[in-house]
Amino acid sequence: MFSRDTWREIFITLRKNKLRTFLSGFTVSLGILIFITLYGMGNGLINTFDEFFSQDATNVLYVFPGRTTMPYKGYKSNRTIEFDNTDLEDIKKNFPMFLEHLSPRIFRSALVKYKEESNNYTTIGVDWGQQFAEKTIMMKGRYLNQMDVEDKTRNAVIGRLVEIDLFGTENAIGKYIDVGGSVFKVIGVFQDDGGDNEERQIYIPYTTRQLIEKNTDEIGQIVVQFKPELGYTGAMALERNLERYMKDKKFIHPDDRNAIFIRNVTDNLKQNQDFAGVLQMIVTIVAFGTIIAGIIGISNIMVFVVKERTKEIGIRKAIGATPRSVINTILLESVFITTVSGFVGMLIGIGLLRSLGDSLADDYFITNPYISTGVAVFATVLLIVFGAIAGYVPARRAARIKPIVALRDE
Amino acid sequence: MIEIRDLHKSYQMGSNSLHVLKGINFKAEEGELVAIMGSSGSGKSTLLNILGMLDEADTGDYILDGVKIEKLSETKAARYRNKFLGFVFQSFNLINYKTAMENVALPLYYQKVSRKDRETKALKYLEQVGLKEWANHLPSELSGGQKQRVAIARAMAAEPKVLLADEPTGALDSTTSYEVMDLIQQINDQGNTILVVTHEEDIAHMCKRIIHLRDGVIVEDKKIDQVRASEYVQ
């Protein structure tokens, strides 16, 4: 079946029938090329999607204070809710098994000066654990630590762009800056994937912020970082319990929806993951639709090829070709064409995706389109196998035609 | 060499059955050159197709070179055809994308002869039909007579026991027809058994024996004095 002679015969046939060879090969190459491009683009879309939503840690609840809209337990409505240090202590005390870090966030805008340069920036008073909730990446120096918070030190961690704005090419570490009238020492510079805005922020210990503001114990928002093991259901349960606890503590009506607002990233995350999953599914369906269209294309070509060669098959049979050798010749030819052109299409497709890289990221939301080699090879092999099966049926029919009938075919 | 006894064949044409061969008996010895004649519809082509194992008889015996041909699987029929029979058709039936030499070598490919031997042999037979210089030409570059000579070379290449020719001159003018018959006579002179189906009297008289078929039966079977085709060829 695989003797050199057989192959020679096949090569001669392929070479002498260039148009037919080209058309079948082209169909297969194109099918695989489209599949790979489509699938890769789909992955690129999902990459973009992931990038949008994976900037912050996902095991985080943000608790925001608001205003009451219902009177409750003798309190009037329209009362402003505020969080203070005792709330931090109480949450820590009541939910110890669920928590990883707990941090307040006190947002204050401040004019920041260094030598001749000055600018307005957002300062955020935080606890040291906030680094993990924001996924803050340190470029140099260090983040705030427990000591900074306990000792109320005047240390600040500045964003990458703050350093560029104020220090230019100078190294900010160890330098002193004026933040709204107080002097802070820069101990670290961070970067953040969240965009320019986040890199124009300055982190200081929340205790220092409270000290500057006449030793208040007000804390703004609370960021609750829970244990990732909780999973989606656990996070949702924690959110409900936390809300009930805080409402109870602050004398808020259980049905009052504006007094306390909790943003649960997990909930968003789940929606996003579901969305990405649907996206992936659509891409897969469309891509495999392309493959199926390719298979149908090959089948049609094979039917045509066999039809076109009916007379030749009759001649070959009259001079001694066995049905098996007829099937072998047709099948090997078709498998050879599909294999070669399939892999050519695959390589072109992969090359195309590689060369695209991130060039479509800004305008078309396609980041780093790629296809894993496994999927690419699988699709190609699928096309080859089904191409062979599709070729086998007409080949077998052709081999069964009586030579006398085949010879009469004009 | 060939013996058939009480051969019947009918074709199903819709609801009607067309009885084409109604009990054919005949024998051909080795080295004979037999013309099978008859008007169209007399069953002569059907008979030849059965002899060529391209078609099957309904009943009756067919013995070729001492081997009883019956209930052939496709594979076996192919092997017998390759071993026993050479075909020459009215429409030549050359493979159009293969050169003259490749066409002649094709039966040998199915006999699993090595490529080198195939080429040597194909060239030898092409030389015999006077077309050695045309070995690398495609059928489309050959005249009708040349095509038929290539087809005869191809039929001879497998060194068959019997050569079956179905209207070999049907598509040719008379001069070319005589050239082809001359070639067939030469092959016969070498001792090969040849059956020629024709409806042309002059072609039939270039054989050594004429069998007349009418309505599916043999009505006449006579030995004749052979007319040499070379007399008409310059």
Side-chain angles (χ1 to χ4, degrees):
Chain A
M1 180 174 176
F2 291 105
S3 70
R4 244 181 78 198
D5 239 21
T6 315
W7 283 113
R8 234 188 84 85
E9 179 73 16
I10 286 167
F11 283 136
I12 289 173
T13 312
L14 290 181
R15 211 176 323 130
K16 294 277 172 70
N17 297 280
K18 285 196 184 75
L19 183 66
R20 192 174 74 203
T21 309
F22 171 76
L23 281 180
S24 357
F26 184 71
T27 313
V28 174
S29 292
L30 195 67
I32 286 291
L33 179 65
I34 292 175
F35 168 81
I36 289 185
T37 321
L38 215 63
Y39 198 89
M41 297 274 186
N43 277 338
L45 216 56
I46 290 163
N47 281 345
T48 311
F49 201 82
D50 283 349
E51 247 173 51
F52 275 154
F53 294 104
S54 63
Q55 291 144 9
D56 295 336
T58 51
N59 52 330
V60 173
L61 298 175
Y62 293 91
V63 188
F64 301 95
R67 254 168 205 281
T68 59
T69 53
M70 295 178 185
Y72 188 59
K73 288 192 175 170
Y75 287 92
K76 279 195 280 189
S77 76
N78 208 23
R79 173 169 56 100
T80 307
I81 302 296
E82 276 178 3
F83 297 150
D84 56 42
N85 288 349
T86 60
D87 295 328
L88 286 180
E89 296 306 319
D90 287 341
I91 294 174
K92 260 183 209 160
K93 223 180 289 164
N94 282 287
F95 299 93
M97 297 118 70
F98 304 109
L99 301 185
E100 219 154 53
H101 297 287
L102 199 61
S103 170
R105 284 207 297 189
I106 309 171
F107 285 84
R108 295 288 183 269
S109 186
L111 183 70
V112 181
K113 290 187 227 163
Y114 175 73
K115 289 184 181 166
E116 306 305 310
E117 301 291 334
S118 68
N119 208 342
N120 265 305
Y121 296 103
T122 306
T123 69
I124 311 172
V126 294
D127 200 350
W128 57 274
Q130 181 62 12
Q131 182 183 6
F132 309 107
E134 296 269 4
K135 278 196 184 164
T136 308
I137 303 152
M138 295 309 297
M139 287 172 71
K140 50 190 175 184
R142 64 169 178 85
Y143 200 76
L144 303 171
N145 61 22
Q146 206 168 349
M147 217 102 93
D148 291 319
V149 176
E150 278 172 11
D151 298 349
K152 305 176 187 176
T153 61
R154 289 177 183 250
N155 286 343
V157 178
I158 64 174
R160 182 175 65 89
L161 294 176
V162 176
E163 185 187 29
I164 292 173
D165 289 350
L166 295 182
F167 293 88
T169 53
E170 230 181 295
N171 187 354
I173 300 288
K175 305 279 163 45
Y176 290 89
I177 51 175
D178 180 326
V179 180
S182 317
V183 174
F184 280 80
K185 184 184 179 187
V186 177
I187 56 164
V189 178
F190 69 89
Q191 60 182 39
D192 198 302
D193 289 338
D196 290 358
N197 245 351
E198 297 206 5
E199 292 186 336
R200 286 217 158 84
Q201 291 174 340
I202 296 173
Y203 290 113
I204 57 174
Y206 77 99
T207 46
T208 314
R209 169 55 68 198
Q210 287 174 335
L211 184 69
I212 292 169
E213 293 180 356
K214 302 186 178 88
N215 226 352
T216 112
D217 60 355
E218 195 192 315
I219 55 168
Q221 312 163 0
I222 301 172
V223 179
V224 181
Q225 202 184 355
F226 55 86
K227 292 186 170 143
E229 305 90 87
L230 290 186
Y232 175 67
T233 6
M236 297 309 281
L238 175 64
E239 180 189 334
R240 276 194 304 279
N241 289 335
L242 195 64
E243 187 177 353
R244 197 181 310 132
Y245 174 77
M246 290 303 286
K247 279 182 173 170
D248 189 45
K249 188 178 173 213
K250 301 281 181 192
F251 307 109
I252 299 165
H253 191 283
D255 295 332
D256 193 338
R257 305 188 67 85
N258 287 325
I260 287 181
F261 175 68
I262 298 185
R263 186 159 76 91
N264 190 344
V265 179
T266 328
D267 204 19
N268 287 345
L269 181 78
K270 179 140 195 306
Q271 279 174 15
N272 294 339
Q273 279 172 341
D274 289 350
F275 189 77
V278 171
L279 208 63
Q280 177 92 60
M281 206 164 74
I282 292 171
V283 166
T284 310
I285 290 172
V286 171
F288 275 90
T290 316
I291 287 288
I292 289 169
I295 292 171
I296 293 170
I298 302 174
S299 314
N300 279 336
I301 290 172
M302 287 311 294
V303 170
F304 169 73
V305 163
V306 168
K307 182 85 195 130
E308 192 202 43
R309 296 179 72 179
T310 305
K311 183 154 190 191
E312 183 196 330
I313 290 166
I315 298 171
R316 283 174 185 268
K317 288 187 79 177
I319 59 178
T322 57
R324 231 188 86 171
S325 78
V326 170
I327 294 176
N328 274 358
T329 318
I330 294 177
L331 264 196
L332 280 181
E333 261 183 57
S334 100
V335 170
F336 181 76
I337 296 179
T338 39
T339 307
V340 170
S341 46
F343 277 95
V344 166
M346 187 184 101
L347 292 180
I348 294 177
I350 290 177
L352 188 71
L353 291 183
R354 287 259 166 85
S355 71
L356 279 179
D358 279 347
S359 60
L360 295 176
D362 292 337
D363 294 337
Y364 300 99
F365 306 107
I366 292 168
T367 313
N368 184 25
Y370 77 100
I371 185 166
S372 65
T373 320
V375 175
V377 171
F378 172 72
T380 311
V381 169
L382 197 73
L383 199 65
I384 293 167
V385 169
F386 278 92
I389 293 173
Y392 178 75
V393 178
R396 198 188 50 181
R397 204 170 49 217
R400 274 190 189 158
I401 303 175
K402 284 186 178 171
I404 182 71
V405 177
L407 283 174
R408 237 182 267 138
D409 185 85
E410 288 297 337
Chain B
M1 179 58 72
I2 289 180
E3 189 181 354
I4 50 179
R5 284 195 292 258
D6 200 27
L7 202 72
H8 286 263
K9 174 76 182 175
S10 46
Y11 288 109
Q12 215 60 42
M13 309 284 276
S15 55
N16 301 326
S17 163
L18 188 65
H19 206 166
V20 183
L21 298 179
K22 303 166 181 170
I24 305 278
N25 291 286
F26 97 100
K27 235 176 168 172
E29 301 302 329
E30 190 167 356
E32 276 202 274
L33 176 52
V34 184
I36 299 171
M37 286 199 73
S39 54
S40 72
S42 59
K44 56 187 193 308
S45 286
T46 308
L47 177 61
L48 195 79
N49 288 335
I50 291 170
L51 291 175
M53 295 178 233
L54 297 175
D55 208 346
E56 270 173 66
D58 298 336
T59 56
D61 299 325
Y62 172 20
I63 295 147
L64 176 63
D65 197 29
V67 179
K68 196 163 180 214
I69 309 296
E70 59 181 354
K71 288 190 193 110
L72 289 180
S73 69
E74 278 277 1
T75 311
K76 213 165 176 192
R79 220 164 275 147
Y80 279 176
R81 275 198 293 272
N82 191 260
K83 198 167 132 195
F84 289 132
L85 302 168
F87 290 93
V88 177
F89 302 94
Q90 179 178 359
S91 52
F92 324 126
N93 283 339
L94 299 174
I95 292 176
N96 55 21
Y97 62 82
K98 285 182 178 287
T99 64
M101 188 180 70
E102 286 166 347
N103 264 291
V104 175
L106 200 58
L108 300 168
Y109 169 75
Y110 289 114
Q111 285 181 355
K112 312 238 183 306
V113 176
S114 77
R115 192 163 64 87
K116 229 174 163 184
D117 292 351
R118 286 208 300 269
E119 282 178 7
T120 321
K121 242 178 176 173
L123 278 178
K124 187 183 117 190
Y125 282 98
L126 274 176
E127 189 172 18
Q128 205 180 348
V129 300
L131 288 175
K132 198 180 178 184
E133 309 81 71
W134 296 84
N136 292 318
H137 287 253
L138 291 173
S140 55
E141 297 161 339
L142 303 175
S143 72
Q146 287 174 322
K147 281 186 207 172
Q148 196 59 297
R149 273 144 69 193
V150 172
I152 291 171
R154 180 179 67 185
M156 295 308 297
E159 288 166 358
K161 306 273 186 203
V162 177
L163 192 65
L164 299 171
D166 188 5
E167 303 271 13
T169 61
L172 304 174
D173 62 38
S174 47
T175 321
T176 321
S177 297
Y178 296 145
E179 283 171 13
V180 168
M181 281 314 289
D182 185 32
L183 186 61
I184 287 176
Q185 285 176 342
Q186 285 172 29
I187 292 165
N188 176 244
D189 292 343
Q190 292 162 11
N192 293 296
T193 315
I194 304 177
L195 265 64
V196 180
V197 164
T198 182
H199 64 273
E200 294 166 83
E201 282 289 339
D202 54 341
I203 298 299
H205 280 88
M206 289 174 180
C207 300
K208 292 172 175 168
R209 176 182 167 193
I210 299 178
I211 290 173
H212 260 277
L213 271 175
R214 188 175 299 147
D215 298 330
V217 287
I218 294 175
V219 291
E220 192 184 24
D221 184 348
K222 59 175 183 191
K223 292 242 157 84
I224 55 158
D225 292 326
Q226 189 184 34
V227 178
R228 294 300 293 191
S230 52
E231 291 171 23
Y232 298 94
V233 183
Q234 289 84 29

